[in-house]
Amino acid sequence: MAAITRLHLHHHHHHHHAFPIIKPSLLLSKLSHSPSFFPNFHFTPLRKFSLSPLLCSISDQPLQSSSGAGSPSIVGDLLDYLNESWTQFHATAEAKRQLIAAGFQLLNENDEWDLRPGGRYLFTRNMSSLVAFAIGEKYSVGNGFHVIAAHTDSPCLKLKPKSAASKSGYLMVNVQTYGGGLWHTWFDRDLSVAGRVILKGSDGSFLHKLVKVKRPLLRVPTLAIHLDRTVNKDGFKPNLETHLIPLLATKLEEASSESKEKSTSLSSKTAHHPLLMQVLSDELSCGVDDIMSIELNVCDTQPSCLGGGNDEFIFSGRLDNLASSYCALRALIDSCQSTGDLSSEHAIRMVALFDNEEVGSDSVQGAGAPTMFQAMRRIISCLVHEYVGEGAFERAIRQSFLVSADMAHGVHPNFMDKHEEHHRPELQKGLVIKHNANQRYATSGITAFLFKEVGRIHNLPTQEFVVRNDMGCGSTIGPILASGVGIRTVDCGIAQLSMHSVREVCGKEDIDIAYKHFKAFYQTFSSVDRKLNVD
């Protein structure tokens, strides 16, 4: 996409409410003080991973990764994925689109399946979780699944069922907090909404559609220091019910008491501000009355981009856990894209992306539901054919291996003592294997060894993390899936800073290392696993 589209510079196809057009000449004068990118600044379509000269490398060469001789980097594609995936719904839809484009066949959980060795398939649930798999051509009954699992959701604000509020002449939008966010980071950001709607079709049917309003629509302003003089000393402690309410607009003065009466009776009937509904209907090119239901997240509008003195960081919201999701997705697609890739594979390669990890995974689209294991049972029963032996599913699970990929805590240079002194993962140093004796992570000595061995064969570095004994430990979907039916699991992740902030940071190198490690897992785990027998 042209760099200028991302900067909202040309708007001939945008709605009337888009930004004012910025004159390129004005922008150029603003940019001219920075000669480092000025010579390359041009208004022609660029490679699709160029966000804009302000944000990303715009050279016409593929981004090179130093974590492997000359192999092209997936970082640009990750940035595109992050910028597309404002919500768990968009992340799932974009993953589905990429899988179908790569030749995966779309299944529906409601239909009967007909699967074949060598086939590649996917299905989605609730458009917020997804399972994709590729069946090895040498598959035989009882062989295992090699799975990478991640999650599509991130902490955010979500609109309440009745979001319309007004105070002191402002239209406000009532929100709920979702997950354990660093909520103070949501103040003073240029926010908007995205999610899904149900529309009424002209024939009486209902349509499920995704929506994203790209322009800054909402803002949660902080209180001026003059009215809160001790905030820097005592800390910023907003009340999440009363202080975290975004502004949408200033309320127009009512012309007469008659229309005032009319509007108050209207607003008590409508769950959401008519203005918000109008913005959504403009975005969807439908009538306001066609919108039957909405499920919206509040999102930060600042694009994901490269940052740092050498462009070595990725600055973005939702890295936890879309970075893992994308590396896993790409590893599966790229490990079975050409015809011979599955010809000697005995296992089934799988990616599972779940919603609701940030709130405990107990939902129909979360890892707490048996989605993945139901799919495994169905895959096996499709492939058994004339086989009449015992325990096909149970044997397959015992042969299987799950990589639970969720972002890890990189050591923070200003808070080094928050890490156990010998377990301080650094950015750009490879995947972090997560250990916890109390099983907050599902890694065991065996699973850590097998996963690290895959990396060692491909010269990929790994790091170890364990939390201090005097601190609580987070958890992830690893233990939930591991204990679900008893599948060997390793918990790992890419090191990052600012976890659960509205704007996070991770290392560019780590994206390519994770992608390569996941791809190596699909390509070589079978041979590594054969060398070690535990029971």
Side-chain angles (χ1 to χ4, degrees), residues 273-297:
H273 285 302
L275 175 59
L276 178 63
M277 300 308 287
Q278 186 59 55
V279 168
L280 293 175
S281 74
D282 286 352
E283 194 65 41
L284 291 157
S285 306
C286 70
V288 171
D289 296 338
D290 296 334
I291 302 176
M292 308 304 292
S293 171
I294 66 174
E295 184 176 348
L296 298 179
N297 296 358

PDB file of all heavy atoms in Angstrom, residues 273-297:
ATOM      1  N   HIS A 273     -24.778   6.331  21.718  1.00  0.00           N
ATOM      2  CA  HIS A 273     -25.022   7.660  21.168  1.00  0.00           C
ATOM      3  C   HIS A 273     -25.368   7.566  19.676  1.00  0.00           C
ATOM      4  O   HIS A 273     -24.671   6.882  18.921  1.00  0.00           O
ATOM      5  CB  HIS A 273     -23.782   8.546  21.318  1.00  0.00           C
ATOM      6  CG  HIS A 273     -23.572   9.025  22.717  1.00  0.00           C
ATOM      7  ND1 HIS A 273     -24.511   9.758  23.408  1.00  0.00           N
ATOM      8  CD2 HIS A 273     -22.520   8.873  23.562  1.00  0.00           C
ATOM      9  CE1 HIS A 273     -24.050  10.034  24.621  1.00  0.00           C
ATOM     10  NE2 HIS A 273     -22.844   9.513  24.742  1.00  0.00           N
ATOM     11  N   PRO A 274     -26.430   8.268  19.239  1.00  0.00           N
ATOM     12  CA  PRO A 274     -26.750   8.307  17.805  1.00  0.00           C
ATOM     13  C   PRO A 274     -25.542   8.741  16.965  1.00  0.00           C
ATOM     14  O   PRO A 274     -25.352   8.248  15.853  1.00  0.00           O
ATOM     15  CB  PRO A 274     -27.884   9.331  17.727  1.00  0.00           C
ATOM     16  CG  PRO A 274     -28.537   9.271  19.084  1.00  0.00           C
ATOM     17  CD  PRO A 274     -27.440   8.973  20.053  1.00  0.00           C
ATOM     18  N   LEU A 275     -24.710   9.629  17.513  1.00  0.00           N
ATOM     19  CA  LEU A 275     -23.526  10.083  16.774  1.00  0.00           C
ATOM     20  C   LEU A 275     -22.565   8.913  16.516  1.00  0.00           C
ATOM     21  O   LEU A 275     -22.045   8.759  15.408  1.00  0.00           O
ATOM     22  CB  LEU A 275     -22.808  11.186  17.568  1.00  0.00           C
ATOM     23  CG  LEU A 275     -21.484  11.690  16.982  1.00  0.00           C
ATOM     24  CD1 LEU A 275     -21.681  12.263  15.581  1.00  0.00           C
ATOM     25  CD2 LEU A 275     -20.841  12.741  17.896  1.00  0.00           C
ATOM     26  N   LEU A 276     -22.354   8.084  17.538  1.00  0.00           N
ATOM     27  CA  LEU A 276     -21.485   6.914  17.375  1.00  0.00           C
ATOM     28  C   LEU A 276     -22.072   5.952  16.337  1.00  0.00           C
ATOM     29  O   LEU A 276     -21.358   5.434  15.469  1.00  0.00           O
ATOM     30  CB  LEU A 276     -21.301   6.197  18.722  1.00  0.00           C
ATOM     31  CG  LEU A 276     -20.457   4.921  18.689  1.00  0.00           C
ATOM     32  CD1 LEU A 276     -19.020   5.221  18.275  1.00  0.00           C
ATOM     33  CD2 LEU A 276     -20.476   4.219  20.046  1.00  0.00           C
ATOM     34  N   MET A 277     -23.381   5.745  16.421  1.00  0.00           N
ATOM     35  CA  MET A 277     -24.036   4.844  15.467  1.00  0.00           C
ATOM     36  C   MET A 277     -23.930   5.395  14.042  1.00  0.00           C
ATOM     37  O   MET A 277     -23.780   4.644  13.084  1.00  0.00           O
ATOM     38  CB  MET A 277     -25.511   4.628  15.844  1.00  0.00           C
ATOM     39  CG  MET A 277     -25.715   4.019  17.225  1.00  0.00           C
ATOM     40  SD  MET A 277     -24.763   2.501  17.500  1.00  0.00           S
ATOM     41  CE  MET A 277     -25.678   1.345  16.493  1.00  0.00           C
ATOM     42  N   GLN A 278     -23.986   6.729  13.924  1.00  0.00           N
ATOM     43  CA  GLN A 278     -23.854   7.359  12.603  1.00  0.00           C
ATOM     44  C   GLN A 278     -22.440   7.139  12.044  1.00  0.00           C
ATOM     45  O   GLN A 278     -22.271   6.841  10.858  1.00  0.00           O
ATOM     46  CB  GLN A 278     -24.157   8.862  12.721  1.00  0.00           C
ATOM     47  CG  GLN A 278     -24.199   9.579  11.376  1.00  0.00           C
ATOM     48  CD  GLN A 278     -25.255   9.006  10.438  1.00  0.00           C
ATOM     49  OE1 GLN A 278     -26.425   8.922  10.798  1.00  0.00           O
ATOM     50  NE2 GLN A 278     -24.846   8.589   9.248  1.00  0.00           N
ATOM     51  N   VAL A 279     -21.439   7.287  12.906  1.00  0.00           N
ATOM     52  CA  VAL A 279     -20.051   7.051  12.483  1.00  0.00           C
ATOM     53  C   VAL A 279     -19.890   5.605  11.992  1.00  0.00           C
ATOM     54  O   VAL A 279     -19.277   5.346  10.953  1.00  0.00           O
ATOM     55  CB  VAL A 279     -19.067   7.346  13.644  1.00  0.00           C
ATOM     56  CG1 VAL A 279     -17.672   6.838  13.318  1.00  0.00           C
ATOM     57  CG2 VAL A 279     -19.038   8.840  13.955  1.00  0.00           C
ATOM     58  N   LEU A 280     -20.469   4.662  12.727  1.00  0.00           N
ATOM     59  CA  LEU A 280     -20.381   3.246  12.332  1.00  0.00           C
ATOM     60  C   LEU A 280     -21.103   3.010  11.003  1.00  0.00           C
ATOM     61  O   LEU A 280     -20.597   2.299  10.129  1.00  0.00           O
ATOM     62  CB  LEU A 280     -20.974   2.348  13.418  1.00  0.00           C
ATOM     63  CG  LEU A 280     -20.225   2.301  14.750  1.00  0.00           C
ATOM     64  CD1 LEU A 280     -20.993   1.480  15.775  1.00  0.00           C
ATOM     65  CD2 LEU A 280     -18.818   1.728  14.572  1.00  0.00           C
ATOM     66  N   SER A 281     -22.287   3.596  10.851  1.00  0.00           N
ATOM     67  CA  SER A 281     -23.041   3.357   9.610  1.00  0.00           C
ATOM     68  C   SER A 281     -22.336   3.991   8.408  1.00  0.00           C
ATOM     69  O   SER A 281     -22.363   3.438   7.313  1.00  0.00           O
ATOM     70  CB  SER A 281     -24.485   3.862   9.745  1.00  0.00           C
ATOM     71  OG  SER A 281     -24.521   5.270   9.699  1.00  0.00           O
ATOM     72  N   ASP A 282     -21.671   5.129   8.626  1.00  0.00           N
ATOM     73  CA  ASP A 282     -20.861   5.724   7.545  1.00  0.00           C
ATOM     74  C   ASP A 282     -19.742   4.767   7.151  1.00  0.00           C
ATOM     75  O   ASP A 282     -19.463   4.555   5.970  1.00  0.00           O
ATOM     76  CB  ASP A 282     -20.231   7.053   8.004  1.00  0.00           C
ATOM     77  CG  ASP A 282     -21.257   8.170   8.078  1.00  0.00           C
ATOM     78  OD1 ASP A 282     -22.403   7.954   7.626  1.00  0.00           O
ATOM     79  OD2 ASP A 282     -20.913   9.250   8.585  1.00  0.00           O
ATOM     80  N   GLU A 283     -19.094   4.215   8.161  1.00  0.00           N
ATOM     81  CA  GLU A 283     -17.956   3.311   7.930  1.00  0.00           C
ATOM     82  C   GLU A 283     -18.413   2.058   7.189  1.00  0.00           C
ATOM     83  O   GLU A 283     -17.708   1.534   6.328  1.00  0.00           O
ATOM     84  CB  GLU A 283     -17.344   2.940   9.289  1.00  0.00           C
ATOM     85  CG  GLU A 283     -15.983   2.294   9.227  1.00  0.00           C
ATOM     86  CD  GLU A 283     -14.903   3.214   8.667  1.00  0.00           C
ATOM     87  OE1 GLU A 283     -14.870   4.416   9.008  1.00  0.00           O
ATOM     88  OE2 GLU A 283     -14.101   2.703   7.867  1.00  0.00           O
ATOM     89  N   LEU A 284     -19.616   1.576   7.509  1.00  0.00           N
ATOM     90  CA  LEU A 284     -20.132   0.323   6.936  1.00  0.00           C
ATOM     91  C   LEU A 284     -20.967   0.559   5.683  1.00  0.00           C
ATOM     92  O   LEU A 284     -21.429  -0.396   5.061  1.00  0.00           O
ATOM     93  CB  LEU A 284     -20.994  -0.398   7.977  1.00  0.00           C
ATOM     94  CG  LEU A 284     -20.237  -0.977   9.178  1.00  0.00           C
ATOM     95  CD1 LEU A 284     -21.174  -1.146  10.367  1.00  0.00           C
ATOM     96  CD2 LEU A 284     -19.585  -2.303   8.813  1.00  0.00           C
ATOM     97  N   SER A 285     -21.187   1.836   5.329  1.00  0.00           N
ATOM     98  CA  SER A 285     -22.067   2.194   4.204  1.00  0.00           C
ATOM     99  C   SER A 285     -23.427   1.514   4.321  1.00  0.00           C
ATOM    100  O   SER A 285     -23.889   0.848   3.397  1.00  0.00           O
ATOM    101  CB  SER A 285     -21.410   1.808   2.869  1.00  0.00           C
ATOM    102  OG  SER A 285     -20.131   2.374   2.784  1.00  0.00           O
ATOM    103  N   CYS A 286     -24.031   1.642   5.491  1.00  0.00           N
ATOM    104  CA  CYS A 286     -25.373   1.078   5.693  1.00  0.00           C
ATOM    105  C   CYS A 286     -26.196   2.099   6.473  1.00  0.00           C
ATOM    106  O   CYS A 286     -25.660   3.109   6.937  1.00  0.00           O
ATOM    107  CB  CYS A 286     -25.298  -0.235   6.460  1.00  0.00           C
ATOM    108  SG  CYS A 286     -24.814  -0.032   8.188  1.00  0.00           S
ATOM    109  N   GLY A 287     -27.483   1.842   6.616  1.00  0.00           N
ATOM    110  CA  GLY A 287     -28.324   2.734   7.405  1.00  0.00           C
ATOM    111  C   GLY A 287     -28.116   2.484   8.891  1.00  0.00           C
ATOM    112  O   GLY A 287     -27.810   1.353   9.292  1.00  0.00           O
ATOM    113  N   VAL A 288     -28.304   3.523   9.711  1.00  0.00           N
ATOM    114  CA  VAL A 288     -28.178   3.347  11.164  1.00  0.00           C
ATOM    115  C   VAL A 288     -29.133   2.257  11.659  1.00  0.00           C
ATOM    116  O   VAL A 288     -28.794   1.449  12.519  1.00  0.00           O
ATOM    117  CB  VAL A 288     -28.456   4.684  11.895  1.00  0.00           C
ATOM    118  CG1 VAL A 288     -28.537   4.471  13.401  1.00  0.00           C
ATOM    119  CG2 VAL A 288     -27.368   5.704  11.572  1.00  0.00           C
ATOM    120  N   ASP A 289     -30.335   2.230  11.088  1.00  0.00           N
ATOM    121  CA  ASP A 289     -31.335   1.255  11.551  1.00  0.00           C
ATOM    122  C   ASP A 289     -30.995  -0.180  11.142  1.00  0.00           C
ATOM    123  O   ASP A 289     -31.611  -1.127  11.641  1.00  0.00           O
ATOM    124  CB  ASP A 289     -32.726   1.624  10.993  1.00  0.00           C
ATOM    125  CG  ASP A 289     -33.197   2.963  11.528  1.00  0.00           C
ATOM    126  OD1 ASP A 289     -32.687   3.379  12.594  1.00  0.00           O
ATOM    127  OD2 ASP A 289     -34.037   3.612  10.882  1.00  0.00           O
ATOM    128  N   ASP A 290     -30.044  -0.338  10.224  1.00  0.00           N
ATOM    129  CA  ASP A 290     -29.637  -1.694   9.825  1.00  0.00           C
ATOM    130  C   ASP A 290     -28.704  -2.338  10.852  1.00  0.00           C
ATOM    131  O   ASP A 290     -28.470  -3.542  10.812  1.00  0.00           O
ATOM    132  CB  ASP A 290     -28.919  -1.663   8.462  1.00  0.00           C
ATOM    133  CG  ASP A 290     -29.839  -1.187   7.345  1.00  0.00           C
ATOM    134  OD1 ASP A 290     -31.068  -1.356   7.495  1.00  0.00           O
ATOM    135  OD2 ASP A 290     -29.332  -0.644   6.352  1.00  0.00           O
ATOM    136  N   ILE A 291     -28.138  -1.517  11.756  1.00  0.00           N
ATOM    137  CA  ILE A 291     -27.198  -2.060  12.756  1.00  0.00           C
ATOM    138  C   ILE A 291     -27.999  -2.615  13.918  1.00  0.00           C
ATOM    139  O   ILE A 291     -28.613  -1.875  14.693  1.00  0.00           O
ATOM    140  CB  ILE A 291     -26.214  -0.970  13.236  1.00  0.00           C
ATOM    141  CG1 ILE A 291     -25.435  -0.392  12.052  1.00  0.00           C
ATOM    142  CG2 ILE A 291     -25.263  -1.541  14.277  1.00  0.00           C
ATOM    143  CD1 ILE A 291     -24.506   0.766  12.405  1.00  0.00           C
ATOM    144  N   MET A 292     -28.011  -3.938  14.039  1.00  0.00           N
ATOM    145  CA  MET A 292     -28.833  -4.600  15.061  1.00  0.00           C
ATOM    146  C   MET A 292     -28.089  -4.777  16.382  1.00  0.00           C
ATOM    147  O   MET A 292     -28.688  -4.819  17.442  1.00  0.00           O
ATOM    148  CB  MET A 292     -29.280  -5.984  14.553  1.00  0.00           C
ATOM    149  CG  MET A 292     -29.934  -5.981  13.183  1.00  0.00           C
ATOM    150  SD  MET A 292     -31.358  -4.879  13.093  1.00  0.00           S
ATOM    151  CE  MET A 292     -32.509  -5.722  14.173  1.00  0.00           C
ATOM    152  N   SER A 293     -26.751  -4.925  16.299  1.00  0.00           N
ATOM    153  CA  SER A 293     -25.989  -5.230  17.502  1.00  0.00           C
ATOM    154  C   SER A 293     -24.536  -4.852  17.260  1.00  0.00           C
ATOM    155  O   SER A 293     -24.059  -4.952  16.130  1.00  0.00           O
ATOM    156  CB  SER A 293     -26.097  -6.729  17.814  1.00  0.00           C
ATOM    157  OG  SER A 293     -25.208  -7.083  18.849  1.00  0.00           O
ATOM    158  N   ILE A 294     -23.845  -4.395  18.311  1.00  0.00           N
ATOM    159  CA  ILE A 294     -22.419  -4.076  18.157  1.00  0.00           C
ATOM    160  C   ILE A 294     -21.621  -4.680  19.310  1.00  0.00           C
ATOM    161  O   ILE A 294     -22.126  -4.834  20.423  1.00  0.00           O
ATOM    162  CB  ILE A 294     -22.163  -2.543  18.089  1.00  0.00           C
ATOM    163  CG1 ILE A 294     -22.503  -1.853  19.412  1.00  0.00           C
ATOM    164  CG2 ILE A 294     -22.929  -1.910  16.950  1.00  0.00           C
ATOM    165  CD1 ILE A 294     -22.126  -0.367  19.434  1.00  0.00           C
ATOM    166  N   GLU A 295     -20.386  -5.059  19.009  1.00  0.00           N
ATOM    167  CA  GLU A 295     -19.433  -5.549  20.020  1.00  0.00           C
ATOM    168  C   GLU A 295     -18.102  -4.882  19.692  1.00  0.00           C
ATOM    169  O   GLU A 295     -17.413  -5.286  18.756  1.00  0.00           O
ATOM    170  CB  GLU A 295     -19.324  -7.074  19.949  1.00  0.00           C
ATOM    171  CG  GLU A 295     -18.438  -7.665  21.025  1.00  0.00           C
ATOM    172  CD  GLU A 295     -18.403  -9.195  21.018  1.00  0.00           C
ATOM    173  OE1 GLU A 295     -19.234  -9.823  20.324  1.00  0.00           O
ATOM    174  OE2 GLU A 295     -17.524  -9.757  21.693  1.00  0.00           O
ATOM    175  N   LEU A 296     -17.767  -3.828  20.439  1.00  0.00           N
ATOM    176  CA  LEU A 296     -16.639  -2.980  20.043  1.00  0.00           C
ATOM    177  C   LEU A 296     -15.571  -2.875  21.128  1.00  0.00           C
ATOM    178  O   LEU A 296     -15.891  -2.799  22.313  1.00  0.00           O
ATOM    179  CB  LEU A 296     -17.135  -1.558  19.716  1.00  0.00           C
ATOM    180  CG  LEU A 296     -18.118  -1.403  18.555  1.00  0.00           C
ATOM    181  CD1 LEU A 296     -18.521   0.057  18.404  1.00  0.00           C
ATOM    182  CD2 LEU A 296     -17.520  -1.923  17.249  1.00  0.00           C
ATOM    183  N   ASN A 297     -14.319  -2.874  20.683  1.00  0.00           N
ATOM    184  CA  ASN A 297     -13.183  -2.550  21.545  1.00  0.00           C
ATOM    185  C   ASN A 297     -12.782  -1.104  21.303  1.00  0.00           C
ATOM    186  O   ASN A 297     -12.940  -0.587  20.192  1.00  0.00           O
ATOM    187  CB  ASN A 297     -11.956  -3.419  21.201  1.00  0.00           C
ATOM    188  CG  ASN A 297     -12.179  -4.898  21.445  1.00  0.00           C
ATOM    189  OD1 ASN A 297     -13.237  -5.309  21.910  1.00  0.00           O
ATOM    190  ND2 ASN A 297     -11.182  -5.697  21.118  1.00  0.00           N
TER     191      ASN A 297
END
